[in-house]
Amino acid sequence: MYKHILFATDLSEETDFILAPVRGMRGYTGAQLSLIHVVEPLPGYSYAYLGIEDIEEQLIDEAREALAKLGEKLTVQKDHQWIEIGPAKTKILKIADEVKADLIICGSHGRHGLSLLLGSTANAVLHGAKCDVLTVRLPDNGI
Ligand code: AMP
């Protein structure tokens, strides 16, 4: 059975929909649980436009705080909470390798039209992962 579950969270309100499956899989398997959130940098010109030089650091601080709150909710120790900077898919897969995760859990939107063609984080993780991936269907948001 699974020994290390990596829960990838975008820290949005939708995260709540994924908590029950995460708790369930962890309870059932007794696996170690790690959390990852990836801060995706804004394009360079946005920084200049906004005139805020340390916006990235601000985003990271906020993400760290939000992830710590989630960590409390799910009783995940700080050394199993990961904040990464870069493309979400690449970083999720990198940390999955590093912690030797054998299950990644993430949310998935029903996709159609353009967003289907462009793909999604869940799709990218599913196709790139070396381990199992559990995608939790999120409510349709009308995209
Ligand atoms: P998306 O396909 O981008 O709407 O995201 C689907 C799922 O991918 C989310 O519910 C999360 O589980 C995961 N995800 C998306 N963005 C991130 C992120 N920046 N950091 C970690 N996980 C993410």
Side-chain angles (χ1 to χ4, degrees):
M1 244 317 140
Y2 299 118
K3 291 190 167 54
H4 202 136
I5 298 170
L6 180 65
F7 173 26
T9 171
D10 58 9
L11 295 173
S12 69
E13 288 168 9
E14 291 177 336
T15 298
D16 285 348
F17 290 100
I18 316 175
L19 296 186
V22 167
R23 287 194 174 108
M25 285 307 283
R26 182 207 219 169
Y28 180 61
T29 59
Q32 172 64 53
L33 178 61
S34 292
L35 309 176
I36 177 165
H37 173 73
V38 185
V39 177
E40 295 188 281
L42 299 166
Y45 60 80
S46 316
Y47 293 81
Y49 178 74
L50 292 168
I52 304 168
E53 280 173 15
D54 61 353
I55 192 166
E56 196 169 281
E57 266 176 41
Q58 230 172 286
L59 288 174
I60 294 166
D61 284 350
E62 281 172 21
R64 192 162 281 125
E65 218 173 286
L67 198 65
K69 278 192 188 143
L70 184 64
E72 273 173 34
K73 252 191 201 176
L74 289 168
T75 50
V76 175
Q77 314 88 307
K78 285 255 186 268
D79 56 340
H80 287 98
Q81 298 174 16
W82 298 86
I83 296 279
E84 291 286 307
I85 301 148
K89 170 212 159 182
T90 313
K91 295 295 177 175
I92 292 167
L93 294 176
K94 174 181 158 258
I95 295 300
D97 274 355
E98 268 182 42
V99 303
K100 298 189 171 59
D102 44 12
L103 179 68
I104 300 170
I105 302 182
C106 62
S108 163
H109 293 102
R111 300 273 179 182
H112 43 82
L114 192 60
S115 47
L116 179 63
L117 286 177
L118 292 174
S120 68
T121 307
N123 260 336
V125 168
L126 189 58
H127 291 113
K130 294 181 196 144
C131 63
D132 289 356
V133 179
L134 172 63
T135 56
V136 177
R137 176 67 190 256
L138 299 169
D140 271 345
N141 56 9
I143 295 172

